[in-house]
């Protein structure tokens, strides 16, 4: 294959084209992401703890520990939900493919004397059969996957649940998409920043694609002349689309909310939280 030229990085990606690198797994960026998960001044990688506390209280009401003891948290990040669920006596397994986040989560659990089964792996290769009463997929991670990966993830979750088990997930709504601004921009950073150490240029392409899909692309030009590209895709949903993807995976919808705190869903809600059940 001919070597990739600088200008090739600026070609517009085809819908769902993967970048050579995975944003969450880059050694430098994953450290910045861990800081973002824990940062209480914004909702960057995880929601603020005040919201997470409310979510876990609500989960404890709608899927009480007496009936939904065995929980799997998919894409658990640094373990903010698993810790709180374990404190409410759920028996928690939690998966994330970021070693940095899982290492942090394991040591935080140990410090607090909590027993949580943390696993550093991708939920796309994870396979278990009828182990869990409840699966969680929180903070709109589902919409960041391609249609093929979404299908695979729902199959994996369905197989892992016991009959009567529930899946609770949230996705960004079409209302959220209306706030998305398409734009191209670049910024010169003189020193260490979110994307890189040292002097670097960050080129950003935010673009709306067809059928409720967006791209947030970052092309990073570093001082040593290396170039990196990160494509972050997102699918936005209405009730019909998320319902049909869940039903295709054999789930039955139990109910919808605006968010994982149990607020009422309206057409103005920026997220949709769904509770679905494996009935058969
Ligand atoms: C937006 S964060 C949400 C983290 C957590 N659910 C929370 O709300 O605090 C998305 C997480 O998904 C993880 N992730 C992305 N793709 C994954 C995959 N294929 N397998 C496992 N984890 C994945 C990332 O490492 C990151 O921790």
């Amino acid at each position: 294959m001919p070597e990739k030229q600088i200008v090739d990085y600026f070609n517009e990606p085809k819908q769902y084209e993967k970048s050579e690198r995975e944003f969450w797994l880059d050694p430098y960026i994953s450290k910045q992401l861990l800081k973002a998960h824990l940062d209480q001044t914004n909702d960057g990688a995880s929601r603020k703890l005040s919201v997470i506390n409310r979510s876990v209280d609500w989960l404890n009401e709608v899927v009480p520990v007496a009936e939904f003891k065995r929980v799997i948290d998919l894409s658990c990040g640094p373990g903010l939900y698993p810790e709180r669920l374990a404190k409410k006596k759920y028996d928690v397994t939690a998966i994330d493919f970021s070693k940095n986040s899982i290492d942090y989560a394991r040591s935080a659990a140990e410090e607090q004397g909590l027993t949580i089964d943390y696993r550093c792996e991708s939920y796309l290769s994870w396979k278990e059969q009828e182990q869990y009463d409840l699966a969680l997929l929180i903070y709109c991670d589902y919409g960041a996957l391609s249609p093929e990966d979404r299908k695979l993830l729902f199959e994996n979750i369905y197989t892992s649940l016991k009959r009567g088990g529930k899946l609770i997930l949230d996705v960004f709504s079409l209302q959220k998409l209306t706030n998305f601004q398409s734009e191209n921009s670049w910024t010169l950073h003189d020193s260490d920043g979110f994307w890189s150490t040292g002097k670097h240029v960050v080129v950003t392409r935010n673009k709306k694609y067809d059928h409720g899909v967006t791209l947030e692309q970052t092309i990073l030009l570093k001082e040593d002349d290396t170039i990196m590209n990160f494509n972050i895709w997102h699918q936005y949903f209405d009730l019909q689309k998320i319902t049909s993807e869940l039903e295709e995976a054999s789930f039955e919808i139990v109910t919808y909310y605006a968010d994982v705190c149990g607020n009422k869903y309206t057409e103005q809600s920026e997220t949709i939280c769904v509770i679905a059940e494996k009935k058969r």
Side-chain angles (χ1 to χ4, degrees), residues 24 37 45-47 52 73-78 80-81 95-98 101 121-124 138-139 141:
W24 295 102
H37 278 295
S46 290
R47 295 192 172 104
I52 294 178
D73 184 11
L74 298 149
S75 79
C76 63
L80 304 175
Y81 293 86
I95 291 184
D96 201 289
F97 69 175
S98 163
S101 284
E121 64 179 299
S122 169
Y123 47 52
L124 298 175
I138 298 179
Y139 213 4
D141 205 32

